[in-house]
């Protein structure tokens, strides 16, 4: 904290936003606004935290202005698939209305459609007549797995 008050402030702000996850996804511009500092100050603070092994920084896009900042654990990388290594982790995402192209419409959008929810031991079945031959309705027990949110025993 003594060596870099801005890095200490940044770390506190990241930890306050990480929630149940071990990462925060936020743009440098938004973090600068939250901190009340210039973007260059925020970049320096992120570099300090990374160099001292407080955080791991993973770029989310090609430009490098939006990153995932990982706290406490390193990201686990999977083996190569199609020549590319992937990592899957959960994160708290912080966005600013100032960076949204539809800023004037925020809060006025139509509600999103909902994916059906299934309780434990329930199965979603397609309905309707199906397509005319040569396509046929599915055979009993061979119904396709349709998208749904599964609600576990603890959530019910």
């Amino acid at each position: 904290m003594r060596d870099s008050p801005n890095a200490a402030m940044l770390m506190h702000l990241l930890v306050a936003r990480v929630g149940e996850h071990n990462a925060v996804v936020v743009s440098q511009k938004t973090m600068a606004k939250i901190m009340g500092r210039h973007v260059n100050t925020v970049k320096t603070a992120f570099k300090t935290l990374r160099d001292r092994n407080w955080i791991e920084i993973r770029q989310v896009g090609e430009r490098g202005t939006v990153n995932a900042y990982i706290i406490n654990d390193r990201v686990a990388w999977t083996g190569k698939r199609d020549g590319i290594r992937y990592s899957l982790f959960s994160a708290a995402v912080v966005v600013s209305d100032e960076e949204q192209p539809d800023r004037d419409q925020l809060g006025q959008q139509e509600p999103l459609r909902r994916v059906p929810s299934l309780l434990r031991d329930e199965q979603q079945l397609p309905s309707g007549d199906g397509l005319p031959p040569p396509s046929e309705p599915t055979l009993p027990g061979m119904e396709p797995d349709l998208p749904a949110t599964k609600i576990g025993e603890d959530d019910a």
Side-chain angles (χ1 to χ4, degrees):
M1 291 178 76
R2 181 177 47 242
D3 293 344
S4 180
N6 286 318
M9 177 194 292
L10 177 59
M11 188 66 182
H12 281 281
L13 291 171
L14 290 173
V15 169
R17 283 158 179 77
V18 77
E20 298 174 4
H21 311 285
N22 70 331
V24 177
V25 175
V26 62
S27 72
Q28 294 168 352
K29 181 179 177 182
T30 297
M31 204 68 227
K33 185 162 181 88
I34 291 169
M35 287 180 65
R37 301 289 192 267
H38 190 272
V39 173
N40 289 338
T41 302
V42 172
K43 288 179 184 180
T44 302
F46 275 127
K47 184 179 180 321
T48 300
L49 292 174
R50 184 199 63 216
D51 292 349
R52 295 185 182 179
N53 289 323
W54 284 102
I55 63 173
E56 178 179 358
I57 301 174
R58 289 292 154 208
Q59 196 167 304
V60 175
E62 291 182 10
R63 295 178 50 195
T65 59
V66 178
N67 297 299
Y69 301 99
I70 296 92
I71 302 167
N72 295 333
D73 292 311
R74 292 255 180 220
V75 171
W77 292 88
T78 63
K80 287 188 177 182
R81 177 176 282 175
D82 297 328
I84 302 172
R85 292 178 66 195
Y86 293 94
S87 180
L88 177 64
F89 56 92
S90 61
V93 180
V94 180
V95 296
S96 169
D97 65 342
E98 292 178 357
E99 297 175 322
Q100 305 308 309
D102 60 348
R103 179 180 183 186
D104 58 328
Q105 300 168 8
L106 294 177
Q108 302 168 18
Q109 305 96 323
E110 257 184 72
L112 293 176
R113 299 176 84 178
R114 296 188 61 86
V115 174
S117 296
L118 299 177
L119 296 174
R120 194 171 142 255
D121 297 327
E122 287 185 332
Q123 183 178 13
Q124 187 178 27
L125 299 175
S127 62
D129 298 330
L131 298 173
S135 295
E136 298 178 10
T138 57
L139 298 172
M142 305 276 301
E143 292 85 8
D145 186 16
L146 300 175
T149 302
K150 299 223 180 211
I151 299 174
E153 191 173 43
D154 299 335
D155 298 331

